[in-house]
Amino acid sequence: MTATTTIRINVETREELKHLGDIGDDYDTVINRLIREHNRENLVRYSRKIVEERKGDFVDIDEL
């Protein structure tokens, strides 16, 4: 089993986390979901930046 730890959060934060979870989720599940969403958003932002910077390197599929 994975080791666990205790983190200190204020009551308001705990209440917000409760609202983000589904029935039966523990805080670890909710926090991991938030981390995945954060990473996904960063990837999308980075991808859009690359596409914008390299627009001239791409070819329209209809031109192939």
Side-chain angles (χ1 to χ4, degrees):
M1 183 172 174
T2 305
T4 60
T5 186
T6 301
I7 58 172
R8 294 174 54 166
I9 58 173
N10 63 45
V11 174
E12 292 82 11
T13 302
R14 185 187 68 196
E15 293 305 313
E16 289 294 324
L17 285 173
K18 283 182 183 180
H19 294 293
L20 294 175
D22 296 324
I23 293 175
D25 284 348
D26 58 17
Y27 290 122
D28 190 65
T29 301
V30 175
I31 292 169
N32 276 296
R33 188 179 304 132
L34 291 170
I35 291 168
R36 281 193 310 274
E37 182 62 27
H38 171 78
N39 290 339
R40 192 174 308 130
E41 287 179 19
N42 281 344
L43 177 61
V44 168
R45 237 186 329 273
Y46 176 74
S47 299
R48 286 182 179 151
K49 178 180 176 237
I50 294 298
V51 168
E52 187 63 32
E53 288 174 353
R54 300 180 183 174
K55 266 186 185 174
D57 297 340
F58 297 99
V59 177
D60 190 310
I61 196 164
D62 292 331
E63 295 176 17
L64 296 177

